[in-house]
Amino acid sequence: MGEYIQELRATAAAMVAPGKGILAMDESDGTCNKRFDVLGIPTTEEYRQAYRQLILTVPNLSAYVSGPILYDETIRQSTTDGKPFVQVIQEAGMIPGIKVDMGAKDMAGHPGEKVTEGLDGLRDRIAEYYAMGARFAKWRAVITIDAVAGTPSLGCIEANAHALARYAALCQEGGLVPIVEPEVLIDGEHTLEQCFEVTDETLEEVFTQLRHQGVEFDQMILKPSMVIPGKSCPQQASVDEVAEATITCLQKNVPATVAGIAFLSGGQSMQDASAHLNAMNAKFRDRCPWPVTFSYARAIQQPALEHWSGDPSRVPEAQKRLLQRAELNSAASVGSYDSKMERPLAVV
Ligand code: 13P
């Protein structure tokens, strides 16, 4: 039994407490800069700090968000008044999380596929983040569907699942609840059925590897993608079809003892991300032994980022927009979201 077992269980339960989800604000500098570039925001540390301060000081964010996931740069930053972000999070009653992977890199011998790096030195980085106040972590693996190229390959699924499992074991040893994120990308022409097959194979391998590495399921959170047709697939699916296929795939592969499921949004529209999560909780709750909630990045932050666009005078309205999406997704996590709740946003 590990040193942190009780703390890990309590943290995991708090991360997926009723009506709460996780805010994935852990874009690497590179990804954050890409999002800034599109909007003409300067890609400097000063602007990244201002953006993260905007998010972390949203009034009442903790009503809907159990914890934000930070990035290495962000966990070391403070507000312009000098208060460390970690302290801002703790004082708001939220739990600080940290992305610990070093990114998805081209996989040798596997054209078009990625493998996530970051295991070397991870034990020491986990110890440092724990000492800084982090209590959970995230590692994202990327699986690409391309029927013509014949991906994903077994080699890619195995390598990513193995890395996820070794990461998760190290996290639990060091007191961080691992968010295990195998993302099957939404890009491509694949059908709902093809996405189901790949997600099924991926989750099966992930849980095999987690077992082999001795990971405790009641002290981890699974962050899966939904089972959904590719963005370019001519045959799109209804909200209920996505919800049912996703729950069926999870039920088949995810042990009932897993502490919680927190989906990524993966480039779905904000409304779809809310509607799909809602349908799972409203219609298929009796098939879910685990809490089912959100760990969204774009589907929570995008309207706020676009409105702010680097202008300090727009912070209060941008914060309202972020809070609105957090509130709607909180409703979806308990099955009480309705598309009628999508209020038109003020033009300011
Ligand atoms: P999206 O919700 O934008 O997919 O991001 C979630 C995430 O954390 C990806 O790693």
Side-chain angles (χ1 to χ4, degrees):
M1 282 287 169
E3 181 185 347
Y4 295 102
I5 183 162
Q6 296 307 338
E7 183 177 291
L8 288 165
R9 280 189 185 141
T11 302
M15 288 164 71
V16 293
K20 302 232 179 150
I22 296 158
L23 173 55
M25 49 176 291
D26 60 314
E27 296 87 356
S28 62
D29 296 350
T31 304
C32 189
N33 289 345
K34 253 193 256 165
R35 308 251 149 94
F36 279 13
D37 257 338
V38 175
L39 297 164
I41 304 168
T43 53
T44 62
E45 190 194 342
E46 188 190 340
Y47 276 83
R48 290 194 298 273
Q49 184 280 342
Y51 177 50
R52 267 60 189 258
Q53 178 166 333
L54 178 162
I55 298 173
L56 291 173
T57 58
V58 167
N60 208 28
L61 186 62
S62 62
Y64 313 117
V65 169
S66 56
I69 316 175
L70 306 175
Y71 177 61
D72 185 73
E73 177 181 84
T74 325
I75 199 170
R76 300 172 195 283
Q77 286 172 326
S78 302
T79 63
T80 33
D81 295 341
K83 188 182 279 191
F85 281 165
V86 169
Q87 197 183 331
V88 173
I89 295 165
Q90 290 165 335
E91 286 178 5
M94 297 186 289
I95 311 163
I98 181 75
K99 169 197 184 77
V100 301
D101 69 65
M102 305 292 269
K105 306 288 162 62
D106 289 342
M107 186 169 171
H110 293 74
E113 298 194 287
K114 305 271 184 196
V115 65
T116 303
E117 296 186 348
L119 288 172
D120 288 355
L122 183 56
R123 176 178 277 130
D124 294 341
R125 291 194 291 122
I126 287 171
E128 187 193 8
Y129 290 138
Y130 186 92
M132 292 171 86
R135 290 296 178 269
F136 69 94
K138 172 186 131 172
W139 178 292
R140 171 176 176 255
V142 174
I143 304 294
T144 310
I145 306 181
D146 183 339
V148 178
T151 68
S153 65
L154 183 57
C156 174
I157 292 176
E158 275 179 356
N160 276 296
H162 178 77
L164 277 167
R166 287 194 51 208
Y167 138 83
L170 281 163
C171 283
Q172 290 184 342
E173 177 195 271
L176 302 183
V177 171
I179 294 182
V180 172
E181 180 178 3
E183 174 171 2
V184 176
L185 292 180
I186 199 172
D187 306 311
E189 293 181 359
H190 53 271
T191 60
L192 179 88
E193 290 72 24
Q194 285 169 316
C195 183
F196 185 102
E197 256 176 57
V198 170
T199 308
D200 183 27
E201 194 183 346
T202 302
L203 289 177
E204 185 179 354
E205 185 61 25
V206 166
F207 279 95
T208 298
Q209 293 289 338
L210 289 169
R211 280 190 190 91
H212 289 177
Q213 298 303 323
V215 173
E216 302 290 349
F217 296 147
D218 63 345
Q219 297 150 51
M220 64 161 269
I221 302 292
L222 178 71
K223 177 165 173 166
S225 40
M226 296 182 194
V227 175
I228 191 166
K231 270 196 160 163
S232 316
C233 177
Q235 178 90 34
Q236 289 297 309
S238 69
V239 168
D240 285 358
E241 283 168 343
V242 170
E244 175 155 32
T246 304
I247 292 300
T248 302
C249 196
L250 292 179
Q251 238 189 335
K252 187 160 176 257
N253 290 291
V254 184
T257 48
V258 165
I261 309 278
F263 284 101
L264 58 94
S265 59
Q268 298 180 44
S269 74
M270 289 175 289
Q271 292 80 0
D272 282 356
S274 298
H276 290 145
L277 177 62
N278 186 67
M280 290 183 224
N281 282 298
K283 304 203 169 149
F284 303 107
R285 188 65 261 162
D286 57 339
R287 290 174 54 188
C288 301
W290 351 258
V292 174
T293 189
F294 59 91
S295 174
Y296 295 161
R298 284 163 288 182
I300 292 185
Q301 296 174 49
Q302 198 58 28
L305 175 61
E306 286 174 12
H307 185 80
W308 172 61
S309 284
D311 178 350
S313 73
R314 290 172 159 241
V315 166
E317 175 60 27
Q319 289 184 321
K320 278 190 207 147
R321 292 176 186 218
L322 191 142
L323 192 67
Q324 183 192 10
R325 289 258 52 98
E327 184 181 2
L328 292 173
N329 286 312
S330 163
S333 76
V334 293
S336 65
Y337 164 87
D338 190 308
S339 58
K340 295 191 194 83
M341 293 156 82
E342 296 278 351
R343 295 185 298 273
L345 293 162
V347 183
V348 236

